[in-house]
Amino acid sequence: MSMSRRAFLAAIPAVTVAGCSGQAPLRVAVVWSGEELRRFLRVVDAYAARQRRPVSVYSAGDNISALLRGPAEDVIPDVAVIPRLGLLFDPVVRPRIRPRSGGHEQPEFWRRLVTPYDSEEELGAWFKIANKSLVWHRAGEQWSPASLTHWQPGPGSLAIGAADGWVLSDWFENVLLAYAPEVYTGLYPPAERGSQAWWGVARVTEALTLLATIWREAFTQEQGRRALTMQFHDSILDVFSYRTADVVAAPDFALPVIERYGGGDVARHFPFPGLDGGDAPLVVGGDVAVAMRGGGQDALDFVNWLTRPRASGERDALTDWVDEGGFLTPYSAPSHPLLRMPAQMLDKAESRHYDLSDRLIGRLEGGDGRGLWRVLTELFTDVTAGTVAPATAAAAAREKIVEAAAA
């Protein structure tokens, strides 16, 4: 039996309703859970108290894409904070977004990302950004391979939460950007005819083969099977709590997990290695706040308030979040020493590239069990839990990607 859109929305737990007013609450959909969600609620509480406007926040998780595309517009939220940029340009979702007006000016690199090629209208504003090209290890230990081709992790040295497809796609994007930056750049924008043809070039297969080789060397079959059941947070614990692995490739927002379970000053990191003297890759991501048309001006006002730069000396729940780690913004430098360098890297316009899988729509769109994430999960399975040779598994993965891109 199919579920109605109203029933679908009702099944998503509303996390809180803040504020006190006779007005209907402003409905805000996010993808976070756990500590990130609790932090966000503290930020929203300040808005509700100041504006005397109730705000209902609910976590839609990966279902947020289905929610924004749904046929029943009465269940579409007033505001959405989304991690996948491609949703802004989805042919169903884009007409439902109220273009941004008023508010603050965004840095040019980030502004262009939320601006369609056929328009100068900004579709959203950046609430949170992320450096996705970091490799973490325990303090006091020496790590930093000279290049990707020299990175030969022994079995058990690498932790990967392969149950989360985005973890595997971050690996692929860093390797592809280091190995073939011209291919990475050519794959986007899809609005340009022929951009999908880049998936079929030999350099993609070569990058996938290099990636599969690193994975094969880092896991026994038993370790590979375990990694496939491990989520992102668990892979952090493997390095900093259980100490059963040595390094983990993870974005800056791994820091709160490290310090909660491993303690303070236990971690160090280095940039994801480049290729034989080439530039280190810099993959960036982030969460964009958008106002939906059904939310009216109130939704747009909330987006502009939420994403605004804080004045010098201003203190609130968001600046506390920035200072304590796990949150980067285009406007505020973090005070945590381990995040200063990752934040500074995000200012380098000449080398940063936005997360490729978060831009994709159609059959390659991310989501566990779907699109590029599924292809990479199957690649990881073949070369770690299975016995397929890296080159063979890489060629098969490339063919699946080409087929999906063509469709």
Side-chain angles (χ1 to χ4, degrees), residues 96-109:
R96 295 177 172 179
I97 294 174
R98 183 184 180 98
R100 184 169 172 266
S101 61
H104 58 281
E105 183 177 348
Q106 302 189 82
E108 181 62 15
F109 171 81

Side-chain angles (χ1 to χ4, degrees), residues 134-138 159-161 166-167 230-262 266-267:
L134 301 173
V135 183
W136 297 80
H137 61 93
R138 292 184 292 273
I160 294 183
W166 66 266
V167 172
M230 182 183 298
Q231 295 183 315
F232 167 69
H233 283 199
D234 297 320
S235 68
I236 304 299
L237 299 185
D238 261 11
V239 175
F240 295 100
S241 183
Y242 310 137
R243 295 180 173 242
T244 54
D246 298 317
V247 295
V248 57
D252 54 85
F253 51 77
L255 182 59
V257 183
I258 293 171
E259 294 193 330
R260 169 177 287 190
Y261 297 101
V266 299

Side-chain angles (χ1 to χ4, degrees), residues 286-330:
D287 299 314
V288 182
V290 297
M292 309 306 291
R293 289 190 181 276
Q297 185 64 38
D298 287 347
L300 187 57
D301 290 344
F302 177 82
V303 167
N304 286 333
W305 176 89
L306 179 68
T307 60
R308 77 194 190 286
R310 269 47 176 182
S312 178
E314 181 180 357
R315 303 298 309 173
D316 64 4
L318 187 137
T319 59
D320 290 344
W321 194 353
V322 171
D323 287 346
E324 293 174 22
F327 187 99
L328 297 181
T329 164

